[in-house]
């Protein structure tokens, strides 16, 4: 005579596989014991099914959906690789006459150091005194020093500094020359300080070398090391992969995008190919080769295409040339074959790519987690729930992008804040209009990426709701009840007997119904 069976809660097991009964993802149970769920003590229903956990990687989609995603992304990846091969720059980029012009950034640079510093009269070294030689004019000198005629505060009577510089690298190592620093100069020199000097071969012997910058290698390397350490400590393996992805992005930018543009390739085409290569490499490297990452790639690609179309339309419609600063003018002077307007659009695409990755990956992950939390949710429910998350994301990301562009153009904004022109004239001037178009086009692409990516993710994950990773029936929800007329699900016990879960009734190992106590 078998006595009544009392349901007793048992510890949850995760990890390790039972060689007889398969993966141990259910609840461990003693022979003939059930598991109580959400009822009074001693009542419940026994079960032996597994649980879908939201920890770790996302559940794989069916084989059919993987084939559909691959049919879209593999041709795209092949086109990107073909574009890299066709547009890959060969040899060094050539400018006017394939020789350095000796102007600006086109000059070779070398390391040097300040060996001596002395105060001298600006008149003795033929240096222009602050204030343009007009004491009491009250105007600000070009370098931002003190007012004219104010001794000791960057004024006309303040002394200049005569620095002796020694070249420490290159063919003229050990060569020394002097550099005069006026009182209103923003860059000050100190004895023993490292500097960067530029060499102009066509200049007179005493003027061939000049100081163009200071050495700041140590603080930059230290800051990069602190950044890498913080990413690895917080992100662990995912953070390490993110650093590898960052290195890949930098390599594509310096080895492909910049040289290809300098050699005369269309900047927009180069940016699309290079940006796509960066997107594929970084997303799959950081987030794994999965359907979730593939959906993020599709959402990013769709948004990039939208940004490219909008950018082309409005840059042409607003008649923006892209030649609005000294650097762009210098590039156009040295390499006149470069399409400056295309360079502007390429900058918009590449600048938006990093933020797009963040938005698409976040939205895709949100949809997957919502599906794991409620496997019965339809794609419409998933879309509505994920869009609530996406709207918060839109507000913060758009503000981030606008402030990033505003921060980069802050000196320009300061100049226009004191301009004696109307707000309309200032906002529609090419210098400001370029930043406005850049910001708004990128923001539109970011906003569009949220519903597009969310919809793609909801459709993909919902289309797979009845299947597991290889087309097998997916996991059963813990609170699922058997359909009317359906046989009760059985879970193997330790003695091989079946334990049925049917409502609140408990059966023994022989299948007889037992009334619970």
């Amino acid at each position: 005579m078998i006595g009544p069976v009392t349901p007793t809660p048992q510890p949850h097991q995760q990890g390790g596989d039972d060689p007889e009964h398969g993966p141990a993802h259910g609840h461990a149970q003693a022979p003939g014991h059930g598991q109580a769920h959400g009822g009074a003590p001693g009542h419940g229903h026994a079960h032996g099914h597994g649980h879908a956990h939201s920890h770790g990687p996302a559940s794989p989609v069916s084989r059919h959906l993987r084939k559909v995603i691959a049919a879209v992304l593999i041709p795209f990846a092949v086109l990107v690789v073909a574009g890299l091969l066709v547009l890959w720059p060969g040899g060094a980029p050539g400018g006017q006459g394939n020789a350095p012009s000796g102007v600006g950034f086109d000059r070779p640079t070398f390391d040097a150091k300040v060996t001596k510093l002395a105060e001298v009269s600006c008149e003795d070294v033929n240096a222009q005194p602050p204030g343009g030689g007009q004491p009491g004019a009250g105007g600000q000198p070009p370098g931002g020093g003190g007012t004219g005629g104010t001794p000791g505060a960057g004024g006309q009577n303040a002394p200049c500094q005569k620095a002796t510089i020694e070249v420490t690298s290159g063919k003229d190592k050990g060569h020394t020359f002097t550099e005069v620093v006026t009182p209103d100069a923003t860059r000050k020199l100190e004895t023993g300080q490292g500097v960067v000097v530029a060499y102009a071969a066509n200049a007179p012997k005493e003027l061939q070398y000049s100081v163009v910058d200071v050495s700041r290698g140590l603080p930059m390397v230290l800051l990069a090391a602190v950044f890498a350490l913080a990413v690895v400590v917080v992100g662990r393996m995912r953070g390490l992969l993110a650093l590898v992805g960052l290195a890949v992005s930098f390599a594509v930018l310096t080895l492909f995008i910049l040289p290809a543009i300098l050699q005369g390739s269309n900047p927009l085409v180069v940016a699309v190919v290079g940006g796509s290569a960066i997107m594929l490499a970084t997303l799959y490297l950081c987030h794994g080769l999965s359907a979730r990452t593939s959906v993020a790639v599709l959402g990013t690609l769709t948004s990039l295409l939208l940004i490219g179309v909008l950018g082309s339309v409005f840059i042409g419609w607003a008649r923006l040339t892209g030649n609005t600063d000294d650097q762009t003018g210098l590039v156009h002077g040295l390499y006149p074959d470069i399409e400056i307007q295309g360079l502007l659009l390429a900058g918009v695409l590449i600048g938006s790519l990093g933020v797009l990755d963040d938005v698409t990956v976040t939205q895709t992950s949100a949809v997957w987690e919502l599906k794991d939390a409620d496997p019965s949710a339809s794609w419409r429910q998933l879309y509505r729930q994920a869009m609530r998350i996406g709207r918060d994301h839109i507000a913060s990301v758009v503000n981030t992008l606008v402030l990033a562009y505003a921060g980069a153009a802050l000196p320009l904004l300061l100049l226009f804040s004191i301009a004696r022109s109307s707000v309309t004239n200032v906002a529609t001037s090419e210098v400001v209009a370029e930043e406005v178009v850049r910001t708004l086009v990128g923001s539109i692409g970011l906003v569009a990426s949220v519903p597009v990516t969310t919809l793609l993710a909801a459709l993909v994950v919902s289309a797979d709701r009845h299947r597991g990773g290889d087309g097998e029936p997916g996991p059963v929800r813990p609170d699922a009840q058997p359909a009317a007329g359906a046989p009760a699900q059985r879970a193997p016990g330790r003695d091989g007997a079946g334990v049925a879960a049917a409502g609140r009734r408990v059966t023994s190992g022989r299948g007889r119904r037992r009334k619970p106590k």
Side-chain angles (χ1 to χ4, degrees), residues 409-419:
L410 194 58
L412 176 65
L413 297 178
L414 288 174
L415 289 177
F416 277 104
S417 67
I418 61 175

Side-chain angles (χ1 to χ4, degrees), residues 215-224:
S215 298
R216 52 181 65 91
L218 180 60
M220 297 295 289
V221 170
L222 181 60
L223 180 60

Side-chain angles (χ1 to χ4, degrees), residues 71-453:
V72 176
L73 289 181
I74 289 179
F76 170 67
V78 171
L79 289 176
V80 171
V81 173
L84 289 173
L85 294 177
V86 171
L87 298 174
W88 193 268
Q96 294 276 30
N98 295 328
S101 65
V103 178
F105 289 100
D106 201 29
R107 294 181 294 172
T109 57
F110 302 96
D111 295 329
K113 67 178 180 180
V114 180
T115 58
K116 185 180 178 181
L117 202 61
E119 290 187 354
V120 295
S121 171
C122 294
E123 295 180 355
D124 293 342
V125 292
N126 297 322
Q128 179 70 29
Q134 297 178 359
Q140 284 290 105
T147 57
T150 306
Q156 183 181 11
N157 298 329
C160 291
Q161 288 184 325
K162 184 177 181 181
T164 302
I165 312 295
E166 179 183 351
V167 180
T168 57
S169 63
K171 61 183 182 64
D172 293 331
K173 181 178 179 180
H175 172 73
T176 60
F177 66 96
T178 59
E179 183 88 4
V180 175
V181 182
T182 58
D184 60 329
T186 56
R187 181 188 300 125
K188 304 296 182 182
L189 300 180
E190 300 175 357
T191 303
Q193 181 181 11
V195 294
V196 178
V197 296
Y199 175 74
N202 298 329
K205 180 70 175 178
E206 63 276 8
L207 300 178
Q208 286 182 333
Y209 285 94
S210 60
V211 176
V212 294
D213 206 348
V214 298
S215 298
R216 52 181 65 91
L218 180 60
M220 297 295 289
V221 170
L222 181 60
L223 180 60
V226 172
F227 164 74
L229 181 62
V231 171
V232 173
V233 168
V234 176
R236 299 186 180 180
M237 180 55 67
R238 188 64 61 87
L240 182 61
L241 292 176
L243 291 178
V244 176
L246 181 62
V248 171
S249 302
F250 184 75
V252 173
L253 183 63
T254 57
L255 298 180
F256 171 71
I257 295 179
L258 298 180
I261 291 176
L262 288 177
Q263 288 203 335
S265 299
N266 187 291
L268 177 57
V269 176
V270 172
V272 170
V273 174
S276 300
I278 291 174
M279 175 185 66
L280 291 173
T282 55
L283 284 180
Y284 283 116
L285 182 63
C286 296
H287 303 285
L289 191 64
S290 64
R292 176 189 293 191
T293 308
S294 299
V295 171
V297 168
L298 290 174
T300 305
L301 176 61
T302 304
S303 301
L304 276 180
L305 292 177
L306 177 61
I307 290 174
V309 172
L310 290 177
S312 298
V313 170
F314 283 96
I315 288 176
W317 194 4
R319 301 184 184 276
L320 299 178
T321 63
N323 191 5
T324 56
D325 53 32
D326 294 339
Q327 288 79 14
T328 308
L330 179 60
V331 169
H332 184 61
L334 298 175
Y335 301 90
D337 294 334
I338 293 179
E339 186 183 348
I340 301 299
Q341 194 176 55
L343 193 63
L344 171 61
L345 182 55
V348 174
L349 286 173
I350 295 174
S352 303
L353 182 60
V355 189
L356 275 177
D357 289 350
D358 172 51
V359 173
T360 55
V361 169
T362 300
Q363 285 304 114
T364 306
S365 298
V367 172
W368 247 261
E369 295 300 328
L370 289 170
K371 185 64 175 178
D372 285 343
D374 185 7
S376 64
S378 66
W379 70 267
R380 290 183 178 86
Q381 292 174 316
L382 292 174
Y383 179 79
R384 286 195 298 266
Q385 294 169 2
M387 278 303 297
R388 286 197 290 267
I389 301 173
R391 291 185 186 100
D392 293 337
H393 206 183
I394 287 174
S396 59
V397 167
V398 168
N399 194 43
T400 299
L401 189 63
V402 171
L403 291 180
Y405 283 127
L410 194 58
L412 176 65
L413 297 178
L414 288 174
L415 289 177
F416 277 104
S417 67
I418 61 175
R420 296 182 179 180
S421 300
S422 65
V423 175
T424 302
N425 290 337
V426 171
T428 56
S429 63
E430 182 171 5
V431 179
V432 176
E434 180 180 306
E435 297 300 325
V436 171
V437 170
R438 188 198 308 267
T439 302
L440 296 183
V441 167
S443 299
I444 291 172
L446 287 175
V447 171
S449 69
V450 173
V452 169
T453 307

Side-chain angles (χ1 to χ4, degrees), residues 37-53:
H37 270 276
H43 297 280
H45 64 273
H47 61 85
H49 56 73
H51 289 271
H53 298 282

